[in-house]
């Protein structure tokens, strides 16, 4: 079963309000959410679910149906010593790169916050979105483009539900999901000689 549950963020105590603001800033670093008004980002975070995924947890498998399932946002700021790993023919190399940078930033932050080390310097933690198929247009016809697992320890993620996302994010998710679908089709040996035009025709119905 896909790891799509979790508990809602707690009521707005002073510490919870501070955490909400930190998460809002981190969410705005994601490409899917870049440029959105802060008030809108805050509402998205406040309505999201938080889930701690244990080491070796398989979040979902490549080929699983995506409809009705959340968008995941891994934020190192939320804690955990692990990281998410995306494997699949359609995995975006940029996502892989951001995952590595985020993990490195988290390690640097842990070092900096250790007494007697690093002088407490601030390190910006990047965020990584995955599972965009569930909030793209035509989600009922889509499947997960890769397999996602947790490695190296636990990882905490936000589960953002499709009906809570503004139209602009849905459009960005659709473009990204289409690009990954096209990449997966092009990567299949059976279509290798068909060329880009045939591959684009395969993706067209999902737009």
């Amino acid at each position: 079963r896909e790891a799509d549950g979790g508990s809602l963020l707690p009521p707005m105590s002073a510490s919870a309000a501070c955490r909400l603001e930190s998460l809002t800033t981190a969410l705005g670093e994601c490409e899917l959410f870049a440029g959105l008004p802060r008030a809108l980002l805050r509402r998205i975070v406040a309505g999201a679910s938080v889930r701690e995924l244990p080491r070796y947890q398989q979040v979902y498998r490549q080929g699983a149906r995506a409809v009705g399932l959340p968008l995941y946002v891994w934020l190192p700021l939320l804690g955990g010593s692990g990281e998410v790993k995306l494997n699949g023919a359609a995995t975006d190399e940029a996502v892989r790169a951001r995952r590595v940078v985020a993990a490195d930033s988290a390690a640097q932050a842990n070092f900096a916050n250790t007494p007697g080390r690093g002088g407490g310097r601030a390190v910006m933690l990047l965020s990584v979105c995955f599972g965009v198929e569930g909030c793209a247009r035509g989600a009922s016809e889509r499947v997960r483009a890769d397999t996602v697992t947790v490695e190296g320890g636990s990882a905490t993620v936000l589960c953002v539900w499709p009906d809570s996302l503004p139209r602009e994010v849905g459009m960005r998710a659709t473009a990204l999901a289409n690009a990954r679908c096209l990449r997966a089709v092009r990567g299949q040996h059976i279509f290798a000689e068909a060329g880009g035009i045939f591959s684009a025709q395969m993706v067209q119905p999902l737009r």
Side-chain angles (χ1 to χ4, degrees), residues 7-12 16 19-20 23 42 45-50 78 158:
S7 57
L8 293 179
L9 289 171
M12 288 296 101
R19 186 184 191 211
L20 176 61
L23 296 179
R42 190 182 295 112
V45 171
S49 298
V50 180
L78 284 173
L158 287 178

Side-chain angles (χ1 to χ4, degrees), residues 5-188:
S7 57
L8 293 179
L9 289 171
M12 288 296 101
S13 64
S15 59
C18 181
R19 186 184 191 211
L20 176 61
E21 292 304 314
S22 297
L23 296 179
T24 298
T25 298
L27 186 67
E29 297 171 4
C30 296
E31 183 179 358
L32 284 181
F33 298 94
L36 293 182
R38 187 170 183 85
L40 179 55
L41 291 171
R42 190 182 295 112
R43 287 198 298 271
I44 293 172
V45 171
S49 298
V50 180
R51 185 170 178 83
E52 182 176 356
L53 305 178
R55 184 181 184 186
Y56 303 132
Q57 169 80 46
Q58 184 177 88
V59 185
Y60 55 75
R61 290 185 61 84
Q62 184 175 2
R65 292 182 64 83
V67 64
L69 297 175
L71 167 73
Y72 295 91
V73 185
W74 174 51
L75 302 171
L77 176 66
L78 284 173
S81 58
E83 61 180 33
V84 294
K85 181 177 181 180
L86 290 76
N87 284 320
T91 297
D92 195 328
E93 292 303 321
V95 172
R96 290 183 185 272
R98 287 181 66 83
R99 177 181 63 81
V100 171
V101 172
D104 181 64
S105 295
Q108 291 183 49
N110 289 337
F111 181 86
N113 291 328
T114 300
R117 293 182 176 179
R121 63 187 179 87
V123 177
M124 179 165 294
L125 304 180
L126 300 179
S127 17
V128 177
C129 291
F130 56 99
V132 296
E133 304 84 11
C135 58
R137 292 185 60 186
S140 61
E141 302 175 21
R142 296 182 185 270
V143 296
R144 295 304 199 187
D146 40 33
T147 297
V148 177
T149 54
V150 179
E151 295 189 351
S154 65
T156 308
V157 299
L158 287 178
C159 300
V160 184
W161 298 94
D163 58 4
S164 70
L165 294 172
R167 181 173 180 271
E168 182 176 355
V169 174
M171 292 175 62
R172 294 177 185 178
T174 299
L176 180 55
N178 285 348
R180 291 182 177 179
C181 183
L182 180 59
R183 187 180 300 112
V185 171
R186 284 176 171 166
Q188 295 178 21

